[in-house]
Structure formats: C-alpha cells, structure tokens
Amino acid sequence: MEKIRYWVDKSILLVTCTLTVFLVAGAIWQVFTRFVLQNPSVFTEEVLRFSFIWVGLLGASYAFGMKEHIALTFLMSKWKHKKDKKAAEIIIEVTVLLFMIIVFIIGGSQLMLETMTQTSPVLGLPMGYVYAALPLSGLLTVYYIVTNRLMARKEAARRRHAA
C-alpha cells in the first residue's frame, strides 16, 4: 500500500509541478506578446485557464492526502483533547468522502461525458478533457481518505503491539 501511495504522490507532484512551470512560462509569454509585441497571444489565455483548473484540483487532492488542507488544520487546532480531534477528523473525512463521491465523481463524470462533444473556442479541445479533472480529483481524494484511514489503523495497531 505504501509503494502505491508513494507513486500516486509522486505522479501528482510531477503533473502539478510541470503544469505550474507551464503556467508561469505561459503567463510570461502572454504578458510579453501583449505589452512588448502589441499582439496578444490568442491561445495562451485558454491554455492557462485549463491548466490552472487541473493544478488547483489535483493540488487540493494532494493537500488533503497530506492532511494539509486548510479546513483540517484550522479545525484540528481548535480542539485540545485527543478524543475531540479524532471525532472531528472522522466527521471531516465522512463529509468530504460523501461530497467527493456525489459531486466530484458522479457529478463530474456526468459533466465530463456531456461536454465531450463541446469544444473550446480557441483550441478546439473537447471540454470533457478539461472537466475530467473533477472526477479524477474526486477519485484521488477518496483514495487518500481510505489510505490515510488504513495507515492510521496500521500505525495504531503497531503502537498497541509495541506497548
């Protein structure tokens, strides 16, 4: 399980880092063509918008997997007792799990399939490819919730045996 988790983490980091570098380069190119060449690049705005969607959704899944999502750290810092933190963590995980399944995976898949015949105005790219970030992000977040819970149980069992 840890080996798969390692490769999932590295894959998300590779994609998001690559897209982030691409975003910076594209933004520089957009500014250069607009203000220096006085002829703005037509395609970069659309490419940057679509890339930003993917970076944001994949990055949010990764942050949730690392337990660095803003809602988690904010709520967890409010409770002092270990039992309260555990209950809050479970409530958050169940809420996010349901939201990801209903909205991101089911709803996102429907949106993706319905928009495969629609194309973006400039690139002519099927919009379903852009919206594919929703179900993928939902699946990754669900994967992280499940693996985080399994790893926590494994760690708790290890501590009980060590004691």
Side-chain angles (χ1 to χ4, degrees), residues 71-146:
L72 291 178
T73 56
F74 174 73
L75 286 175
M76 292 305 172
S77 66
K78 296 295 179 192
W79 285 293
K80 302 297 179 213
H81 302 294
K82 192 173 183 179
K83 191 175 180 181
D84 293 339
K85 286 184 179 189
K86 187 74 166 170
E89 188 176 311
I90 290 170
I91 290 169
I92 290 168
E93 286 177 352
V94 169
T95 304
V96 171
L97 186 70
L98 290 172
F99 184 80
M100 287 294 148
I101 290 170
I102 295 167
V103 177
F104 274 55
I105 297 172
I106 295 171
S109 294
Q110 289 173 347
L111 179 65
M112 179 188 75
L113 293 173
E114 289 173 6
T115 58
M116 276 301 199
T117 57
Q118 297 174 8
T119 57
S120 64
V122 177
L123 299 174
L125 181 75
M127 290 302 295
Y129 292 163
V130 177
Y131 295 126
L134 286 167
L136 179 60
S137 176
L139 287 169
L140 288 168
T141 304
V142 167
Y143 168 78
Y144 278 126
I145 290 170
V146 170

Side-chain angles (χ1 to χ4, degrees), residues 157-163:
R158 188 189 63 76
R159 276 186 267 140
R160 278 193 304 270
H161 281 88

